[in-house]
């Protein structure tokens, strides 16, 4: 599933490509025809990311102070993907839920879980519901901590809860726990403020690097098979999707188990109870 860094990159790309332009919005696939009609011909004011959600803000008159602005709300889910480039728009291939065409470029969305038009009050509700996003928060993890620290729920579950930490998915969850030697089933209530602060700072660092590089790399150079140059694909992670392979630090086979419907990866030795 695309995690927060992917959504943030889309927001930045689309802001750069389309901001201030009157867009042609359509739904070649046909499933978003009414929504597209609401936005078609409006000016894109900007795109923001919030956890795994993106919000394209439109105003009919292009006025940033508009009170009639509308938002294209997208959640990519497991299979959603944006594509795009400079004009001309290619012939439609596959099920394109929404297509944006500006002065110089285009973008197409396929396979998203959510694609809808919402209003400013609905955006506020969404923001209130979602947890703290390491890529955007100025609260230093305090809001997320307040939402997890009272619970005996496993830290591995809390980290995946979008009302606690928004934008963190399965890969960042597994990797951050490994990097801090934390047993995934540690009750959240046992995470001290000091430890949480370390986890949060590290999450921010990794996710910002993910935005910059356009991919997730969580390994330190010293722990990679090849220590020079950019990390190769098989050197990207410590534990994520490495079940049965030797731990980079201790050689123990990486474990995997189902936790609330998602695979949880960890090193039974480096992250012992
Ligand atoms: Zn290990």
């Amino acid at each position: 599933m695309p995690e927060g860094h992917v959504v943030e990159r889309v927001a930045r790309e689309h802001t750069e490509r389309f901001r201030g332009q009157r867009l042609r919005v359509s739904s070649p696939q046909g499933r978003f025809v009414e929504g597209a009609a609401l936005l078609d011909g409006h000016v894109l004011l900007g795109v923001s990311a919030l956890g795994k959600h993106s919000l394209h803000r439109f105003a009919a008159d292009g006025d940033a102070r508009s009170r009639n602005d509308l938002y294209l709300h997208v959640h990519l889910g497991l299979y959603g993907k944006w594509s795009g480039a400079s004009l001309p728009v290619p012939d439609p291939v596959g099920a394109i839920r929404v297509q944006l065409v500006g002065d110089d470029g285009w973008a197409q969305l396929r396979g998203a879980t959510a694609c809808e038009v919402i209003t400013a009050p609905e955006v506020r509700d969404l923001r209130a519901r979602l947890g703290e996003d390491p890529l955007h928060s100025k609260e230093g993890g305090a809001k997320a901590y307040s939402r997890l620290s009272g619970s005996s729920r496993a830290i591995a579950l809390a980290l995946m809860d979008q009302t606690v930490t928004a934008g963190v998915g399965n890969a960042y969850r597994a990797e951050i726990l490994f990097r801090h030697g934390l047993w995934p089933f540690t009750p959240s209530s046992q995470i001290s403020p000091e430890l949480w602060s370390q986890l949060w700072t590290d999450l921010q660092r990794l996710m910002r690097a993910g935005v910059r590089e356009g991919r997730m790399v969580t390994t330190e150079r010293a722990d990679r098979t090849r220590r020079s140059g950019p990390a190769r694909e098989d050197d990207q992670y410590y534990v994520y999707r490495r079940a049965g392979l030797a731990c980079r630090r201790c050689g123990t086979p990486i474990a995997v188990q189902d936790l609330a419907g998602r695979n949880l990866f960890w090193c039974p030795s480096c992250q012992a109870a």
Side-chain angles (χ1 to χ4, degrees):
M1 179 185 283
E3 302 194 18
H5 67 301
V6 172
V7 182
E8 174 63 17
R9 276 177 73 89
V10 166
R12 291 185 189 186
E13 271 173 36
H14 286 196
T15 298
E16 193 171 319
R17 192 180 304 156
F18 297 125
R19 181 159 58 190
Q21 299 172 26
R22 221 168 261 288
L23 300 189
R24 278 167 30 225
V25 184
S26 61
S27 179
Q29 169 207 36
R31 274 182 63 190
F32 184 62
V33 170
E34 286 169 25
L38 291 172
L39 305 175
D40 189 32
H42 290 205
V43 175
L44 184 90
L45 297 176
V47 187
S48 52
L50 187 63
K52 297 179 182 175
H53 302 253
S54 62
L55 295 161
H56 290 62
R57 184 177 176 220
F58 288 87
D61 51 9
D63 185 347
R65 291 160 303 175
S66 171
R67 287 172 181 272
N68 298 314
D69 46 355
L70 290 173
Y71 295 78
L72 171 65
H73 168 225
V74 171
H75 188 294
L76 294 175
L78 279 173
Y79 306 108
K81 193 170 169 45
W82 282 99
S83 57
S86 305
L87 295 178
V89 183
D91 290 335
V93 175
I96 303 167
R97 183 82 62 90
V98 61
Q99 174 172 285
L100 310 174
V101 180
D103 300 342
D104 317 295
W106 58 273
Q108 295 172 339
L109 173 69
R110 293 176 177 79
T113 299
C115 175
E116 57 177 356
V117 176
I118 62 175
T119 60
E122 289 171 310
V123 169
R124 277 196 291 279
D125 289 347
L126 178 67
R127 286 187 187 281
R129 197 167 69 242
L130 285 173
E132 197 172 344
D133 179 344
L135 285 173
H136 296 284
S137 170
K138 294 182 177 70
E139 296 167 84
K143 177 178 170 187
Y145 190 70
S146 74
R147 289 187 177 186
L148 70 82
S149 57
S151 162
S152 58
R153 189 165 58 147
I155 184 64
L157 279 175
L159 282 170
M160 289 287 274
D161 183 344
Q162 298 301 298
T163 68
V164 175
T165 43
V168 175
N170 203 3
Y172 280 127
R173 175 261 301 258
E175 296 296 300
I176 204 77
L177 291 174
F178 176 88
R179 287 170 59 94
H180 295 267
L182 205 54
W183 187 49
F185 307 98
T186 305
S188 301
S189 53
Q190 287 179 20
I191 306 290
S192 68
E194 293 74 25
L195 175 57
W196 178 251
S197 167
Q198 288 168 20
L199 288 168
W200 184 261
T201 306
D202 203 24
L203 261 180
Q204 285 189 309
R205 199 170 71 81
L206 293 179
M207 291 179 74
R208 283 172 186 157
V211 173
R212 215 166 43 236
E213 311 284 330
R215 65 179 190 141
M216 200 187 290
V217 175
T218 58
T219 49
E220 298 298 329
R221 202 168 283 283
D223 295 322
R224 295 178 196 155
T225 311
R226 201 180 66 154
R227 295 184 185 176
S228 61
R232 289 189 309 206
E233 217 170 289
D234 57 357
D235 265 341
Q236 270 178 280
Y237 304 114
Y238 284 106
V239 292
Y240 180 64
R241 289 190 173 161
R242 294 194 73 243
L245 296 177
C247 171
R248 296 182 186 283
R249 291 200 173 143
C250 75
T252 304
I254 300 302
V256 63
Q257 80 163 67
D258 179 278
L259 183 65
R262 302 293 302 276
N263 279 329
L264 168 71
F265 301 89
W266 82 101
C267 172
S269 169
C270 294
Q271 299 171 261

